[in-house]
Every structure is written in C-alpha cells, then in structure tokens.
C-alpha cells in the first residue's frame, strides 16, 4: 500500500496501480484538510486538482518538463508530490510559500504570479526550448501550463493564446482546470462557452459513429464521410463548440473528468504525443471531497483562515474587517446615489461589493480577471454620467496603471478606486503585498488618494471620494481587522491632529493604518523628553497646504507609511516642501525597494524595522544630532517633561 510519506518526488508515482493512485489521492485530501485547517491557506482550489496534478506528474517528467501553475494557489498538491510535505509553517516566515517558489524547489518555475500570466510564461519557455533544439526526439522537453478557467477571463491569457497558436513546432500543453470558478463563479462569454463544452460531449462519439458506418458502404460512404469531416466546424458548433480554440489553431482534447486519473493520463498522453500546442479541458470541482467546501456557495473555501477541519468553521470569531466596513458603507451610499456603480475583477466578495450587489444587482459589473478592462470601462461609465467605484486588491491595480493614467487620469474621469489589502499583507508573499500603489498612483496628474485610519475615517473619506466628479480618487486600506476608533483632537485644513506632546520638536506623520503605530512612537518619544505632534493627513495626495504650514514650526518631520519609501508619502511631502520653500527636514520610515518574503504582517513589519521601538530609537538618534536645548535635554536623559494639553 502506497503512503504519501513515501512519495519523495514525481518519479515515485510511475509504478503505482490504479487503486494505489486512488488511495494516494484520498491521503492527499486528508493531509490538505488537516494541515491547511491549522494554518489557513488556499484549500478549495487544491482539493479540486488532486487527481489532475497526479496525472500531470505521471505523464510529464518534472523538472525536465516544465510545469507552470496559474496563479499558483493551486500548487499545494504539486508541492506534496515534489517532496515538500512539511506544511506546519505554510505561509509563515521560514515555512513553505503558499505559491510556487524557486527557492524551495527545482520543480517550481514561476513565483507568486498574478493570474492569467502562465500562458505567456509557457510560450516564452517553449520558444526558448525550440530555439535551443530541445523539442525533438524521444527526450524532447515539454512545457505544461495548468490554468484555471477564471484566469482565461484575463486579456493577457488571450494575447498568449494568439501567439501560442503560431508555434506548431513547440511542445506546449495547456491544461484548463475548469471548475466554473476563479474566486466566485467564472463569468463572461468564455464561461458560457466552457459551460456548453461541459454539457455537450457528443461530437467525438458522433464523428466516430459516422466514420465507422459510412465507410462500410464503399466509395459513396467514404465521400459522404469526407464531406461530413469537411464541415466538422459546423457540426462542432452545434454539438460541441470547441471551435473557439481550434479557430486559433490549437488542438483541443476533452472535456475530461479531472477527478479520474486514468482519463486525465489518457488525455495528457494524447496531448504530449501531438507535437504542438494542445489544450486539455479538464472538468473539476473546487473543494472536491470536503463537504464544508463543496457546500460553500460563496467561494468553495478558496482561501480560509484557521478552521475546524471537521466542520470547516473558523476557530476564532474574527473582528470587524476593513472590507466589511467598506461593504456596509458603499451599500449605504448606493441607497442615496443612484449614479454610483461597482466594478470588480472576479472578486465580488473579497473586495466587499457583495452587499451592494445584493441591493443593486444591475449596478455591479464583474469583468472577470481583467483589471485593465475594468478601469477603462469605468472611464466610459463616468463619461456616460455614472460614478464607478472600482474595488480591487492594491497589488492588482499595478496591472492597470496605464489605464488609470491614460484613460481615467488624462480624461479627468470621476472614478473612485478602492484598494483593499494595501500595505503589507504578508501571508501571500512578494506578489500580493500592496506596497506599490502610492508610488505608482501619485504619478497620475490630478489624482487624490486617501488612507483611512479606522472605520469612522473610512466612511468619511469614501463619502468624500465619490463626491469628486472631475478627477480619479483612491481609498486604500489594509487587510485584517479594523482598529478601535482613533479620535482626533483637532483638524487643521484636511489634516487630523491626533495628539500633541511637549514642544514643537518632531512632527510625526502617520499614514492610514500606521496611525496606531505612530501613537506608540509618539508615546516613546514623549517619554524621552522629545516634543512630538502626531497627525494623520487623511488625504495623502495631494499634500495638504495645512501640513506644509504646520511643518514650518517643527525641527523635524518624520513620516511612517506602509508603502515603498521610494516615491511614497514621505517623498511627496519632501517634494511639496521644496516647492513651498519649507526647510524642515523630512525622514521617512517605510518599505524598502525589494520583494518581501511571506510571513504574518507583524513579523514582516518587524523584519523591516517598522516597529515602535525601532522607529523611536532612530528618531531619538536624529534628535541628538540637532542643535540647541533639545539636544542637551536628550543627552541629559530628561524624561519628565509634562505633556502639553491636546488643545494647545
């Protein structure tokens, strides 16, 4: 009897009998349910590709043959079959990445890629192999792209397919993992086409019957069969319209039961032997084999936190999330503003547009995994008299920067972008941290960017954003639980003053979710006898004139943000000071310009030195370098300076 622990690599699958393969698949599912329940992760997608992944590794020889997963969250089974069975630290610092990772294994090629990119990777790798003469002979190398049907809603995937179809000499197999879902059910014309393919499997059987029957009748029958075969495109459109792929010049195999190893192997071996680009269409069920996932209509346990493996219920009751606050508020805005519409890129629930959609189903557009189209579509809607709210993860707005710049910004379109998971998200690693948006988006002329610090300011700033009809607006907030309300003691222009302590020594500017950290830093500085005023700029782009005027009274401005230091809020403030002739020096604490390893958000922030202890220590060192009585006070260690009243 085979055991999962005995599988140290793909080669160990070669000699297994059908019953052993079925037992192995059961063990993999049990393993995933038990281990992912402890750490959280992408459970549903991986339960759906167990047999599919086993078949891929039995037919192809990794790493000689290259396997690319799109987006990578369906690669847990691949990790197990390539010798990585310690899931105790999944998505935690020092543990396994939740996506393929070159640093983990030679079997991994593409790191934490965004969706719809695998086919371009596969095309490039296959082209390189062809140019290097590595395609021919019995030892010819193949490239296999495992792509979810949701990823095929992305325009980049179709750009790749258009190019792949020209490479008839390239050994490239595309496995379409068709589970009718990306996060939620897959939408759009492609989804309808694949649905038709799922439910009309009669074409090949009909053609085989025609060949056998008609050719038995001699020359007239053979002529009739040739005519039948010659109009196969028309028959396929009626019986099984896979012509969409064949019109591109791609051989199509399927649909195949993706939970039947033998069927999958048969289809993959046919594809492998073809000697050119082939699409293998596999029908799977997301969450297969785990009742709580199968019964979850929202996303089939696409991603979970820590759960009870028996019931599938969360172990801890989560607090109110930033996303939930946005979901409630945008629905309220929709009640009073019938021109407000929502746009999502295949993530209705994760970005919080579901409650709006429940109330106003005709005012929400899900474009699939197509952020570029979402943004330009929003520009068109704004021209048509609507106010679109485009809700995406902060990391995904990177993909549509050209559209934000040229279609929305250039045309001064009144579009509001709501960026969930801004800043350090941590668990999903380098590609999913929302640490680029401020540096990118503040380049757009006329754009206005807000960063709320709590639920109250999120509601307030969202309301302000949708009132702006002649420029793009952005609201960014992090992943996780929203903190308790952080009241301001004063408002100067658009800037909230959170606290004042002592003299006008340090003006501490904390951006959005970093305000609680800023409050801790302010406490530590005050304990060292350093006068500090903590402010929340609320709208970080453009820099408020009130902040510029306020800074002139201080000896040092310190900015704390969860965006890149390069081109972030600190840079924007320094540039504005230069324009205004303000000479107060600015020092920024933020994210360095490098890709970050996965891990929990607090652990990542600590690694970056974005903690109250480290920031306050560095600020004290800066203060010691200043001239005058403050320097002498700090050097003497005076720490008993009384705090000034908040309303000073």
């Amino acid at each position: 009897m085979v055991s999962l622990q005995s599988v140290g690599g793909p080669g160990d699958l070669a000699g297994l009998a059908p019953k052993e393969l079925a037992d192995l698949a059961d063990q993999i599912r049990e393993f995933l349910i038990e281990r992912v329940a402890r750490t959280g992760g992408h459970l549903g997608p991986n339960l759906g590709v167990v047999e599919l992944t086993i078949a891929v590794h039995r037919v192809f020889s990794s790493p000689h043959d290259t396997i690319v997963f799109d987006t990578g969250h369906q690669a847990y089974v691949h990790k197990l079959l390539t010798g990585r069975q310690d899931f105790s630290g999944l998505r935690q610092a020092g543990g396994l990445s939740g996506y393929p990772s070159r640093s983990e294994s030679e079997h991994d090629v593409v790191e934490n890629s965004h969706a719809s990119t695998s086919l371009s990777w596969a095309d490039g790798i296959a082209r390189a192999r062809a140019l290097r003469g590595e395609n021919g002979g019995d030892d010819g190398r193949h490239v296999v792209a495992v792509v979810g049907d949701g990823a095929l809603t992305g325009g980049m995937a179709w750009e790749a397919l258009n190019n792949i179809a020209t490479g008839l000499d390239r050994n490239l197999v595309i496995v379409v993992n068709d589970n009718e879902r990306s996060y939620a059910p897959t939408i759009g014309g492609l989804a309808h086409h694949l649905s038709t393919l799922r439910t009309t499997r009669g074409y090949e059987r009909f053609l085989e019957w025609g060949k056998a029957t008609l050719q038995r009748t001699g020359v007239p029958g053979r002529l009739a069969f040739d005519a039948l075969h010659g109009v196969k495109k028309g028959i396929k459109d009626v019986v099984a319209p896979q012509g969409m792929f064949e019109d591109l010049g791609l051989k199509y195999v399927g649909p195949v039961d993706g939970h039947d190893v033998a069927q999958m192997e048969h289809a993959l071996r046919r594809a492998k032997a073809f000697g050119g680009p082939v699409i293998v269409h596999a029908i799977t069920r997301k969450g297969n084999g785990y009742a709580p996932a199968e019964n979850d209509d929202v996303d089939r346990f696409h991603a979970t936190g820590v759960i009870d493996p028996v019931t599938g219920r969360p172990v801890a009751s989560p607090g109110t999330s930033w996303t939930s606050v946005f979901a409630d508020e945008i629905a309220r805005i929709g009640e009073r503003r019938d021109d407000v519409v929502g746009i999502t890129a295949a993530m209705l629930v994760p970005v919080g547009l579901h409650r709006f959609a429940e109330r106003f189903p005709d005012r929400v557009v899900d474009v699939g995994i197509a952020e570029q189209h979402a943004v330009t579509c929003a520009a068109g809607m704004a021209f048509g008299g609507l106010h679109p709210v485009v809700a995406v993860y902060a990391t995904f707005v990177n993909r549509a920067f050209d559209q934000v710049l040229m279609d929305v910004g250039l045309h001064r379109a009144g579009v509001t972008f709501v960026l969930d998971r801004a800043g350090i998200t941590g668990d999903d690693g380098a590609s999913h941290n929302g640490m680029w948006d401020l540096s990118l988006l503040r380049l757009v002329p006329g754009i206005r960017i807000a960063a709320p610090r709590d639920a109250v300011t999120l509601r307030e700033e969202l309301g302000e954003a949708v009132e702006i009809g002649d420029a793009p607006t952005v609201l960014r907030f992090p992943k996780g639980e929203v903190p308790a309300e952080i009241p301001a003691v004063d408002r100067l222009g658009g800037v909230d003053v959170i606290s004042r302590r002592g003299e006008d020594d340090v003006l501490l500017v904390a951006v959005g979710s970093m305000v609680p950290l800023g409050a801790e830093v302010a406490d530590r500085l005050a304990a060292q006898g350093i006068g500090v005023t903590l402010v929340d700029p609320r709208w970080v782009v453009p820099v408020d004139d009130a902040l510029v005027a306020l800074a002139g009274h201080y000896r040092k401005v310190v900015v704390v943000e969860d965006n890149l230091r390069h081109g972030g809020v600190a840079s924007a403030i320094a540039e504005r000071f230069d324009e205004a002739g303000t000479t107060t020096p600015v020092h920024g604490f933020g994210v360095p310009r490098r890709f970050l390893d996965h891990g929990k958000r607090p652990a990542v922030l600590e690694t970056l030195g974005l903690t109250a202890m480290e920031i306050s220590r560095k600020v004290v060192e800066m203060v010691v370098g200043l001239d005058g009585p403050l320097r002498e006070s700090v050097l003497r260690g005076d720490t008993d300076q009384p705090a000034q009243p908040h309303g000073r």
Side-chain angles (χ1 to χ4, degrees):
M1 182 67 67
V2 68
S3 68
L4 175 58
Q5 290 72 27
S6 69
V7 179
D12 294 332
L13 303 174
L16 299 183
K19 187 178 186 309
E20 291 177 306
L21 293 173
D23 289 340
L24 178 62
D26 290 341
Q27 292 177 50
I28 290 173
R29 281 197 172 84
E30 291 173 6
F31 178 97
L32 290 174
I33 293 167
E34 177 189 355
R35 303 303 171 86
V36 177
R38 298 178 188 175
T39 62
H42 290 94
L43 181 56
N46 288 283
L47 294 175
V49 296
V50 176
E51 291 84 1
L52 183 155
T53 308
I54 291 172
V56 166
H57 275 296
R58 277 172 57 85
V59 173
F60 297 94
S61 179
S62 177
H64 178 75
D65 296 320
T66 299
I67 303 171
V68 180
F69 288 88
D70 194 328
T71 62
H73 60 237
Q74 56 184 334
Y76 291 8
V77 183
H78 165 76
K79 287 176 183 273
L80 290 174
L81 298 179
T82 52
R84 288 166 282 174
Q85 298 182 9
D86 181 4
F87 272 49
S88 60
L90 179 67
R91 306 200 315 157
Q92 299 173 26
L96 286 181
S97 168
Y99 293 83
S101 172
R102 290 184 184 180
S103 64
E104 287 181 7
S105 173
E106 62 180 345
H107 298 281
D108 292 1
V109 175
V110 180
E111 302 274 348
N112 304 349
S113 66
H114 289 174
S116 310
T117 64
S118 67
L119 300 185
S120 295
W121 272 97
D123 184 36
I125 295 168
R127 287 175 185 270
R129 299 272 164 80
L131 287 172
R132 293 173 63 86
E134 298 177 1
N135 273 356
D138 296 336
D139 200 35
R141 304 181 72 181
H142 284 74
V143 182
V144 182
V146 181
V147 55
D149 61 321
L152 286 181
T153 63
M156 186 174 174
W158 288 91
E159 293 174 22
L161 283 171
N162 186 51
N163 282 273
I164 288 169
T166 66
L168 300 180
D169 61 336
R170 296 196 287 275
N171 294 337
L172 200 163
V173 176
I174 301 166
V175 180
V176 177
N177 171 30
D178 180 5
N179 59 23
E180 304 184 61
R181 288 174 171 267
S182 44
Y183 280 82
T186 306
I187 57 87
L190 173 70
H192 291 303
H193 184 90
L194 292 176
S195 178
T196 304
L197 289 177
R198 289 183 212 109
T199 56
T200 54
R201 306 182 61 156
Y203 166 74
E204 296 296 341
R205 289 193 296 271
F206 177 69
L207 196 61
E208 288 172 4
W209 169 85
K211 181 177 182 180
T213 301
L214 294 174
Q215 288 194 346
R216 282 199 300 266
T217 64
V219 173
R222 285 194 293 274
L223 291 174
F225 174 76
D226 289 343
L228 170 64
H229 197 268
V231 297
K232 72 174 184 177
K233 173 62 169 65
I235 294 173
K236 284 184 176 181
D237 282 344
V238 175
V239 185
Q242 63 260 44
M244 175 179 68
F245 296 114
E246 294 194 342
D247 282 348
L248 288 171
L250 297 168
K251 179 67 175 175
Y252 173 91
V253 177
V256 182
D257 183 352
H259 299 299
D260 186 315
V261 175
Q263 282 194 37
M264 281 299 307
E265 282 194 44
H266 178 69
L268 290 170
R269 292 190 192 283
R270 285 176 59 195
K272 183 178 181 180
F274 181 69
V278 181
I279 286 180
V280 176
H281 182 189
I283 308 299
T284 65
R285 294 177 299 278
K286 195 172 184 178
N288 186 62
Y290 184 42
E294 292 179 343
N295 294 328
D296 177 32
D297 290 333
V298 175
D299 65 3
R300 300 287 196 271
F301 280 30
H302 178 84
T304 73
V306 178
I307 60 174
D308 181 324
V310 176
T311 66
R313 295 173 181 165
V315 170
S317 298
T320 302
S321 69
W322 290 90
T323 308
S324 180
V325 175
F326 164 71
D328 286 339
E329 189 60 24
I330 192 62
R332 289 193 192 99
I333 289 172
E335 294 281 359
R336 66 176 186 267
R337 288 276 301 272
D338 61 8
D339 63 324
V340 170
V341 295
I343 301 180
T344 175
M347 299 177 71
L348 184 74
V349 176
V351 298
L353 280 176
H354 54 297
R355 292 172 195 160
F356 187 95
E358 289 167 1
R359 298 190 196 182
F360 316 107
D362 295 336
R363 288 162 55 188
V364 173
V365 180
D366 186 342
V367 301
I369 302 177
E371 291 85 359
Q372 293 170 301
H373 171 65
V375 173
T376 302
C377 178
M381 293 174 115
F383 176 76
L386 301 176
H387 190 104
V389 176
V390 181
V392 295
Y393 283 3
T395 184
F396 296 143
V397 81
N398 305 350
R399 313 185 77 183
F401 175 71
D402 179 69
Q403 287 70 30
V404 176
L405 178 66
M406 293 299 177
D407 294 323
V408 176
L410 177 63
H411 295 88
R412 301 187 62 81
V415 176
T416 296
F417 297 93
V418 175
L419 306 185
D420 202 321
R421 273 66 165 177
I424 302 300
T425 55
D427 302 32
D428 284 331
S431 68
H432 280 60
N433 286 311
M435 51 191 262
W436 322 98
D437 57 296
L438 287 174
S439 298
L440 284 172
L441 295 180
R442 80 177 190 89
L443 298 174
V444 178
I447 200 166
R448 307 179 195 187
I449 304 176
R453 64 180 181 271
D454 55 19
V456 173
T457 53
L458 189 157
R459 296 187 186 100
E460 183 181 54
E461 291 162 23
L462 178 61
E464 294 169 4
V466 297
E467 291 298 324
I468 297 171
D470 61 352
T473 54
V474 179
L475 185 77
R476 72 187 302 267
F477 51 79
K479 177 181 180 180
E481 188 173 336
V482 68
E485 181 182 350
I486 306 169
V489 299
D490 198 3
R491 178 168 290 180
L492 304 174
V495 178
D496 277 353
V497 179
I498 307 302
S499 65
R500 292 188 178 102
R501 308 277 190 88
E503 302 299 322
D504 294 343
D505 298 324
V506 175
L507 179 63
L508 181 59
V509 181
V511 176
S513 64
M514 304 301 274
V515 170
L517 174 61
E520 292 183 51
V521 173
D523 288 343
R524 288 175 174 270
L525 294 179
Q528 293 292 316
I530 298 173
V532 57
T533 296
L534 173 64
V535 298
D536 168 15
R538 299 178 65 255
W539 288 86
V540 296
V541 175
V543 176
D544 197 298
D545 289 341
L547 182 62
V548 178
L550 184 64
H553 299 286
Y554 289 80
R555 309 181 73 186
K556 186 80 174 177
V557 172
V558 173
V559 181
V560 181
E561 60 186 302
D562 56 358
N563 185 78
L564 291 181
R565 290 197 302 266
H566 299 80
V569 177
S571 296
I573 291 174
E575 291 164 12
R576 182 70 184 89
F577 283 7
D578 185 60
E579 293 170 359
T582 301
T583 58
T584 307
V586 178
H587 184 89
F589 291 91
V591 181
R593 190 167 51 188
R594 70 169 190 261
F595 294 108
L596 307 178
D597 292 334
H598 61 275
K600 297 298 181 186
R601 186 174 187 271
V604 176
L605 291 175
E606 183 174 2
T607 300
L608 299 177
L610 292 177
T611 64
M613 179 181 295
E614 186 65 13
I615 293 172
S616 59
R617 181 185 67 80
K618 290 184 177 179
V619 173
V620 169
E621 290 176 355
M622 297 174 201
V623 166
V624 170
L626 298 174
D627 296 326
L630 174 61
R631 177 178 184 274
E632 298 301 322
S633 171
V634 174
L635 289 175
R636 288 197 307 269
D638 295 345
T639 60
D640 57 352
Q641 295 186 21
Q644 295 291 330
H646 284 315
R648 177 176 65 87

